[in-house]
Amino acid sequence: MSDEKMNVLFAYTRKQAIKDGVLVDVSTLAKEAGFKYHVAMTHAAFTRYVEVPEACPWQDLSGRLWDVLWMLHVAIKQTPERNPLHFSLMVQNEPGPAEEVT
């Protein structure tokens, strides 16, 4: 395929994924956490680990998002091999002890 041209059949941009709700743009707070590039999370990850569950009204969204972004930032700095990069953090989605998620 060195000389063949590839035909793009479909392209789905980050902007479109954010508009569709597939991705959630978290770039503003990510910049404060030390990220140099735009950052987005899947809607599923955002819902599960960032949105404040009804069972935990003492928490707030920006604090939960900060925890996710900061732990990711630390993992990136500490891990020379980044593909794939796994990191863990404690998340409390119900009263009682927080659970470790990776």
Side-chain angles (χ1 to χ4, degrees):
M1 282 203 183
S2 59
D3 292 334
E4 286 184 38
K5 290 187 178 180
M6 303 273 305
N7 291 325
V8 176
L9 298 177
F10 180 75
Y12 192 55
T13 66
R14 177 184 186 276
K15 182 178 179 179
Q16 187 63 46
I18 290 169
K19 181 179 177 186
D20 292 346
V22 174
L23 293 178
V24 178
D25 186 4
V26 296
S27 298
T28 301
L29 194 59
K31 185 175 181 180
E32 291 180 38
F35 286 83
K36 296 178 184 177
Y37 303 102
H38 293 285
V39 178
M41 297 178 66
T42 64
H43 181 265
F46 188 86
T47 300
R48 178 82 173 118
Y49 304 117
V50 176
E51 285 185 352
V52 179
E54 288 183 23
C56 301
W58 59 88
Q59 297 182 11
D60 66 57
L61 188 134
S62 62
R64 287 171 64 100
L65 177 56
W66 178 265
D67 291 346
V68 171
L69 293 169
W70 182 251
M71 294 304 291
L72 174 58
H73 182 76
V74 169
I76 289 170
K77 294 290 187 187
Q78 293 178 347
T79 308
E81 181 63 39
R82 296 186 185 125
N83 193 9
L85 173 70
H86 298 280
F87 70 102
S88 298
L89 69 147
M90 303 301 286
V91 176
Q92 186 180 28
N93 283 333
E94 55 189 43
E99 68 173 308
E100 183 175 358
V101 296
T102 301

